[in-house]
Amino acid sequence: MGNSALKAHLETAQKTGVFQLTGKGLTEFPEDLQKLASNLRTIDLSNNKIELLPPLIGKFSFLKSLALNNNKLTTLPEELCKLKKLETLHLNGNHLRQLPAAFGQLSALKTLSLSGNQLRTVPTQLSGLRHLDVVDLSKNQIQNVPDTVGELQAIELNLNQNQISQISVQISHCPRLKVLRLEENCLELSMLPQSILSDSQISLLAVEGNLFEIKKLRELEGYDKYMERFTATKKKFA
């Protein structure tokens, strides 16, 4: 990709506040973007070969949406956590093993997609994010869901296609959690906290493809209560 092409993209971005350059084989974050640090609201660099997100990302203080799906990121810089206006972060299909320690400072974050990375646990940093609506951690290597999950503010948590065999009972205390996806994991029925059924806000529990038959779920105590919430929610969206 030549400089003139990049220049044209930068000029467009200056007018629109959107910089989108996907599938161009980029190996690094375009440094020239920092000239537009105060203009840009959206950056999409998905489907490239970027291995490193530079610290200068912290300068984009008005950024609302950042997408770097299908790149080669192995880590994220702490500077990313300075983006106080960031609402949407898409990092699917990278090689991330953990999130920066200060990730909980992304106070405006609503949507976080980390599907297809190498996370081994639900990051504790997520519990500090007060406006989080949707968290996608599917297709990682998560084996257990820790107690800190009880403070998660998300409405939807997607943990499909992991290796989860243990879930903290604290998950039933999530104040806003309505949708919990646990398909294709390694759960025994005895490891599914019954309080998810009897004593939570969850109105859609997806558990197909685990180590038990779905019909066994109906025999658990609290299943009727869960079905009441499920039916009420369905009516609302019908």
Side-chain angles (χ1 to χ4, degrees):
M1 177 155 147
N3 271 344
S4 56
L6 182 60
K7 202 172 165 214
H9 277 277
L10 288 169
E11 281 172 11
T12 308
Q14 192 163 6
K15 295 183 191 117
T16 61
V18 177
F19 184 83
Q20 186 176 26
L21 200 56
T22 58
K24 296 288 186 214
L26 291 182
T27 53
E28 47 191 55
F29 187 90
E31 293 229 332
D32 284 349
L33 271 187
Q34 57 185 322
K35 297 172 189 164
L36 301 179
S38 56
N39 293 55
L40 289 182
R41 303 292 185 268
T42 300
I43 295 177
D44 186 353
L45 293 165
S46 297
N47 304 315
N48 283 294
K49 295 173 181 169
I50 298 168
E51 292 180 20
L52 214 59
L53 192 57
L56 65 86
I57 191 68
K59 295 180 178 174
F60 294 83
S61 46
F62 296 97
L63 203 61
K64 282 192 164 184
S65 174
L66 176 61
L68 286 153
N69 295 326
N70 305 319
N71 276 281
K72 297 187 171 185
L73 299 171
T74 51
T75 59
L76 298 170
E78 288 289 338
E79 285 79 4
L80 176 68
C81 309
K82 293 180 179 172
L83 303 180
K84 298 287 187 232
K85 290 194 171 13
L86 195 67
E87 293 178 8
T88 310
L89 181 57
H90 291 290
L91 295 163
N92 301 325
N94 281 281
H95 309 292
L96 299 168
R97 290 172 184 271
Q98 57 192 41
L99 298 179
F103 198 82
Q105 292 175 12
L106 290 170
S107 49
L109 203 61
K110 290 179 181 174
T111 304
L112 174 64
S113 297
L114 286 161
S115 181
N117 278 280
Q118 292 167 21
L119 299 171
R120 292 186 176 274
T121 184
V122 176
T124 53
Q125 296 95 315
L126 302 187
S127 300
L129 298 168
R130 292 281 161 250
H131 299 286
L132 211 50
D133 289 335
V134 179
V135 182
D136 185 353
L137 299 174
S138 61
K139 299 180 187 169
N140 277 278
Q141 296 160 18
I142 297 170
Q143 293 173 9
N144 66 358
V145 180
D147 288 349
T148 46
V149 75
E151 293 163 39
L152 191 69
Q153 297 288 326
I155 296 168
E156 175 169 346
L157 176 59
N158 186 343
L159 292 164
N160 289 346
Q161 292 175 296
N162 278 283
Q163 298 154 21
I164 297 168
S165 58
Q166 283 184 308
I167 300 179
S168 166
V169 67
Q170 296 295 328
I171 199 160
S172 16
H173 297 161
C174 291
R176 300 165 68 215
L177 192 61
K178 298 273 195 289
V179 179
L180 178 58
R181 302 186 189 279
L182 287 162
E183 293 178 13
E184 294 177 53
N185 277 283
C186 310
L187 282 167
E188 302 272 358
L189 191 58
S190 58
M191 284 301 179
L192 191 70
Q194 292 200 8
S195 54
I196 289 178
L197 298 171
S198 60
D199 193 24
S200 77
Q201 304 286 322
I202 295 166
S203 55
L204 178 63
L205 176 65
V207 286
E208 285 79 4
N210 279 280
L211 308 178
F212 58 87
E213 291 178 52
I214 286 296
K215 62 180 185 213
K216 295 277 185 206
L217 191 65
R218 298 177 200 141
E219 295 164 19
L220 290 185
E221 201 176 323
Y223 187 78
D224 295 350
K225 276 189 168 177
Y226 162 68
M227 279 314 290
E228 280 172 24
R229 296 192 302 272
F230 177 82
T231 314
T233 306
K234 273 195 106 159
K235 278 186 186 141
K236 207 159 50 175
F237 293 115

